Amino acid sequence: MTNHARPGGLTRRRMIGGLASITPAVAMAGTAAGTASAAAPDPYPALGADVVKEFRTAWDSYRRLAWGRDELRPVSGSGSDFFIPGGTLGLTIIEALDTLYLMELDSELNAGVEWVRNDLRLDQNAPVQVFEAIIRLVGGLLSAYAATKDRMLLDRARELADRLLPAFHRSPTGAPYRYVNLSTGEVRGTEAPLAEIGTCIAEFGELSRITGDRKYFDAAKKALKAVYDRRSRIDLVGTTLNVETGAWAGRTATLDPPVDSFYEYLWDGWTLFGDHDLKAWYDKLTAAVLKRLAERRAGRLWFRQADMTTGKATGHNQSELTAFYAGLLAQSGHLADGERYHDAWTAVLGKFRLPPEYLDYRTMKAVNPAYPLRPEYADSCLFLWLATGKDRYRARARDLYSRQKRHCKVANGYTVVDDVTASPMRLGDLTPGYWYSENMKYYYLLFAKASRFDYTDNYLSTEGNVLKGLR
Ligand code: IFL
C-alpha cells in the first residue's frame, strides 16, 4: 500500500491511516464510528496476541510434521507438494517469512531463511505454474528480502524470475504460457486465464525497481497489454486467451476467477510504479464492469457473468475470491460501491457458518460448498477499515476469525472445509500456504499494533506479501 504521495486514490492493498500514527480515519474508529463504549475494554490487543498464538501453533506443526514440504496436511499429520509432484519449493516457508517478521517471531524467521539458503532448489527439471510461482514464491522472497535485507533472498527471487521469463519471452503475443520447466525453459499451456496472464506486475516491477533491470516490468506490462488490446467493442474482456494466436478461448466477462486479480494488478501497477497506461486501462475496463456486470438485488451489489461481445448476462454466480473487489473498488475511487459489495458478502455470513466457495446470489444457495480457508473477505475488511475508520470492518474480521477458530481448528492447526453446509461440517486436510501469508497477516494487522509495519506507506500484493512498508 503506497499511501504517501500516491498518484491515484486509495488502493486495495495500500492502507491509509493507521494505528501507529492514528490518522483521522482510524482515529474515528475509537470515537464516533467506533462501537465500544468508553468503559468497555478494548478487545483488540488480546486478539492480536491470540492470532500470534494460533499462527505459532500451526507453524510448529508444520515444522514438526512437514518441514520443507510445500504444505501441511494437519489432519493426517503429513506434508504435500503444490508445484511439482515429489519435488518441493518450500511454499509454506516462503509464504510465511514476512508474517513471521511482522509477528516478531525472529528465530522462526531465521530458520526459514536458512532453509531457503541451504535447501531451496530452483533448478528442478519440472514444469511449474508461472502465475502461482510469481505471486507466491517471487513475491514471498521479495517480501522476505524487504524484511531482512539478506541479499541471498533477492538473488533467489531474481534467479526464479529468470527461470520463469521464457513463458513470457517465447510467447508470440507476450501473454505468458501457463507452465515453464524450471531447468530447461520449455513452455506449455497455451490457453491462459486472465489472472494468470496479468498478475505479475507488482512482483516483476519491484524486481526491476530493485535491480535496475527493466526486463521484468516490461514483460509484465506487455502481458497486460496483450489482454487490453483484445477487449471487445464494449470494453469487456473474456476469461481465457490463447497466448499463441491471441484469440479468445473463453469469452465470458466476469470478475470471478480465473480473472479476478487481473484487474487488481492493473491498478497496483499504476499506484506502485506510476505507469499512466495501466491507470487508463484500469479505468476503461472498470467503467465497463460497473456498467455491464454490476447487478443490484435485494439492496445488495453483485457482479454477474456476461458475454464479452454483447454484454448479455450468462450467469449469476459469485466466487468468494471476488470479495477482494470490495477493497479494489474502494481504493480506485468507488468507495460507496466497495462498501456495498462488502455488505453483500457480510449477508452471506448471515446465512452460512463460513462463506462457500461459490454462491448463486439470486437464491443465496451454495453452488460450491467448500471453504478453502480463503482470505479475501478479511483482506477487504483490513482495507476498508483503514480507508474509512469504521469499526464495523474490524468487527467483521473478528467475526470471521472466531468462526474460523470454531470450525477449521484441528489438533495441528487449521484445515480447509470440504462442505460448509453439512452438519457437522465436513473438514478437509490442508493448511494452504496462503493461510500463513494472508489470513493471519490480515488479522494481525487489523487487531495488533504491528510495530514493524508502516501503516501509512506500504504495499501488500495479491498474495499478502508486503513489498513495501516493513520497518
Ligand atoms: O493465492 C491466493 C491469492 O490471494 C490469490 N488467489 C487465490 C489465493 C487465495 O484465495 O490471488
Side-chain angles (χ1 to χ4, degrees), residues 130 164-171 174-180 185 187:
V130 174
L164 299 171
L165 272 178
F168 296 78
H169 290 162
R170 294 191 179 171
S171 161
Y177 288 91
R178 297 189 68 199
Y179 297 91
V180 63
V187 293

Side-chain angles (χ1 to χ4, degrees), residues 210-221:
I210 300 170
T211 63
D213 187 338
R214 285 193 60 93
K215 71 181 174 192
Y216 308 103
F217 178 87
D218 288 346
K221 184 174 174 184

Side-chain angles (χ1 to χ4, degrees), residues 12-13 95 131-132 135-136 199 260-261 264 320-321 357 372-376 379 434 438-439 442 461-464:
R12 169 186 173 192
R13 312 283 187 173
E95 296 244 55
F131 153 77
E132 297 285 8
I135 66 166
R136 297 176 184 233
T199 315
D260 49 3
S261 49
E264 178 184 355
E320 190 283 339
L321 280 96
E357 182 78 339
L373 282 171
R374 292 290 182 198
E376 288 76 16
D379 172 351
Y434 55 74
E438 296 198 68
N439 296 52
Y442 302 145
S461 74
T462 192
E463 191 68 10

